[in-house]
């Protein structure tokens, strides 16, 4: 049996485990010098919440949904993430929306969620730190493709 990378069973705080797997220079490269240790933890927490809720909701979603259903799905997902994030951080909903609604923060959360997906999938053979660094180094190329309308 192959065990994918990630926090060991029984680890109560996967967020701190993931942060411990990242080098300081990689976090600075990914999130900048102005992002505090608390905000780093919140980015990782939000990414874990988003990933889990996305997986749960996709499993429940009927296939062949139209654009209205997709929009409803995404709004429900984001509301669920905000609610759980607020509860776990001891924030009111408006404070959670303020943090998660900031464009740069949201981009960091979604990027780290993709990194976690690649890491926990276990197929890359790379460390979490290496995957985050790779994602950051690929930002410019993804932005150029996006501006041209090419897939990511």
């Amino acid at each position: 049996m192959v065990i994918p990378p990630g926090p060991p069973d029984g680890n109560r705080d996967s967020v701190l485990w993931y942060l411990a797997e990242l080098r300081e220079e990689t976090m600075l490269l990914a999130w900048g010098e102005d992002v505090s240790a608390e905000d780093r933890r919140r980015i990782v927490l939000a990414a874990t919440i988003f990933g889990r809720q996305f997986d749960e909701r996709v499993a429940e979603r009927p296939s062949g949904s139209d654009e209205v259903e997709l929009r409803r799905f995404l709004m429900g997902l984001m509301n669920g993430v905000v609610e759980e994030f607020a509860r776990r951080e001891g924030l009111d909903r408006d404070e959670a929306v303020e943090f998660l609604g900031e464009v740069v923060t949201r981009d960091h959360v979604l990027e780290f969620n993709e990194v976690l997906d690649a890491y926990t999938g276990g197929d890359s053979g790379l460390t979490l730190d290496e995957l985050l660094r790779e994602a950051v180094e690929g930002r410019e190329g993804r932005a150029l493709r996006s501006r041209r309308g090419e897939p990511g």
Side-chain angles (χ1 to χ4, degrees):
M1 177 171 134
V2 175
I3 299 173
D9 287 341
N11 187 323
R12 292 190 50 200
D13 197 343
S14 61
V15 170
L16 295 179
W17 191 90
Y18 288 134
L19 283 168
E21 294 297 303
L22 300 173
R23 293 187 344 228
E24 178 69 18
E25 75 177 47
T26 303
M27 290 186 281
L28 288 172
L29 180 66
W31 302 323
E33 294 180 9
D34 296 337
V35 176
S36 68
E38 179 69 10
D39 285 348
R40 290 175 182 180
R41 187 189 59 75
R42 285 181 165 181
I43 288 166
V44 174
L45 173 63
T48 62
I49 292 169
F50 178 87
R52 183 183 43 74
Q53 286 200 17
F54 180 83
D55 290 345
E56 290 170 358
R57 290 171 186 257
V58 163
E60 298 168 358
R61 186 172 157 238
S63 62
S65 299
D66 63 10
E67 188 175 331
V68 172
E69 284 298 314
L70 180 59
R71 214 174 288 138
R72 192 174 295 135
F73 168 82
L74 292 173
M75 289 303 297
L77 173 62
M78 294 314 297
N79 285 331
V81 170
V82 166
E83 294 298 326
E84 183 175 342
F85 181 83
R87 181 180 49 76
R88 291 188 52 187
E89 286 296 292
L91 302 172
D92 66 35
R93 189 176 197 295
D94 290 341
E95 291 172 309
V97 166
E98 183 179 336
F99 179 77
L100 295 173
E102 188 177 314
V103 173
V104 172
T105 300
R106 187 180 62 229
D107 288 348
H108 292 330
V109 167
L110 295 174
E111 178 180 68
F112 196 71
N113 173 66
E114 289 179 12
V115 167
L116 282 176
D117 279 350
Y119 181 66
T120 58
D123 296 332
S124 73
L126 300 175
T127 66
L128 184 61
D129 188 80
E130 291 166 333
L131 286 166
L132 180 56
R133 180 171 287 277
E134 190 176 87
V136 170
E137 290 169 352
R139 283 178 185 166
E140 188 175 327
R142 284 190 307 277
L144 288 172
R145 287 188 300 276
S146 176
R147 278 187 228 124
R148 290 186 207 135
E150 299 171 8

